[in-house]
Amino acid sequence: MPPSSTNTTTHYDSYPPVFRPKIASIHHSPPTSRIPYSDSDPLPVIDLQCLNKNKLAEACRDWGIFRLVNHGVPTKLLSQLHEHAKDLFSLSFETKQRHGFGSPMSYFWGTPGLTPSGLAIERGPNIAPNINWVEGFSVPLTLLSNLLAQKKLSHQLQDHGDDDDYPMLDALRTELDEYGKHQSRLATTIFKAIAENLELGRELSDCYLSTSTGNLRVYRYPRCSEENQASGIDAHTDSSVISILYHDEVGGFEVYKDGNWLPVKPIPNTLVLLLGDMMQAMSNDKYKSVKHKVKINKYEDRMSAGYFVFPKENGVIRSSNYKPFCYAEFRAQVQHDLKTVGYKIGLDHFKLH
Ligand SMILES: O=C(O)CCC(=O)C(=O)O
Ligand SMILES: [Fe+2]
């Protein structure tokens, strides 16, 4: 539903100023504003209740992306998370920026390129600014769990600590923690099956996926009247081992497959799993780190959540196509590239031939 005219101003107050439309260009949603997707779902489907390892190997080799069904994340948790995140995004931009949602959650906008502490990576003086039409918050899951444990303890000790300015934050934090635990379970289960398919062995598997690195990002892509002149998130591959995405019903996510951009239709109660650069390296290019992007919508804000999990910081990844490297080096290189050339070069830096 489009916001009413009084709400419109309030709603747009929640956007970073660059994203606020001029009143003349505000578009109200016509009945058929949704992207027309074909009925059939092109993505391979992996059923977590009866995990077929051959099908999984095929999906990893041919696609690097698949849809997860029967994943066991409660529908109610997904809808609560969605609603509370939406409430948080609807606070004024100034509030979001000032408050930052309180440690360990950090607010960002205009770029998905962040430092480990959740700040936007600054570009060098010769790099043209490239604003992505997105805002979000980033949540390191281990820090969040520790914070909730501490809060519980101080509550038991009758020390209520600092009261949060926003009561909805408490509910959201608990949901994010629960959602994060489900994501960690899903990534561990899928990774175990992949590691068996790749015959990685116990020691390498332990080093190649470290759930303590798990990070959540919740995104809002504000509607934009010039939908073809801005990008939600530009084409990229993820640096992770595994990424797991939750998509709302608006649509706009696309994946690069056999020379074409393929729109991925949002299907309720399913999740989308992507393989990242670290998986490509540890599988010695057998599996793909898949390129993807997000388009924005003229009439509706889009929301999504991504879970990203990495290898142990200093665990060495060895394969015959790449020189040995650890994730900490890879991340530093990506940050350096964003600053100096303006985009991520990624695995090519580490490729041997
Ligand atoms: O919002 C989405 O669906 C995708 C986000 C994404 O690609 C990313 O965070 O790396
Ligand atoms: Fe991504």
Side-chain angles (χ1 to χ4, degrees), residues 112 217 219 221 233 236-238 243 245-247 253 274 292-294 302-306 308:
R217 288 187 186 188
Y219 294 112
Y221 301 84
I233 295 188
H236 67 283
T237 59
D238 289 354
S243 310
L245 303 176
Y246 158 79
H247 290 157
F253 181 84
L274 308 171
H292 53 284
K293 65 180 179 185
V294 178
R302 171 183 186 266
M303 277 178 58
S304 68
F308 306 91

Side-chain angles (χ1 to χ4, degrees), residues 49-68:
Q49 247 164 40
C50 44
L51 190 52
N52 179 326
K53 280 185 17 202
N54 292 333
K55 217 175 153 193
L56 178 66
E58 248 171 58
C60 292
R61 192 191 59 220
D62 300 341
W63 284 80
I65 181 169
F66 48 86
R67 197 176 292 283
L68 264 186

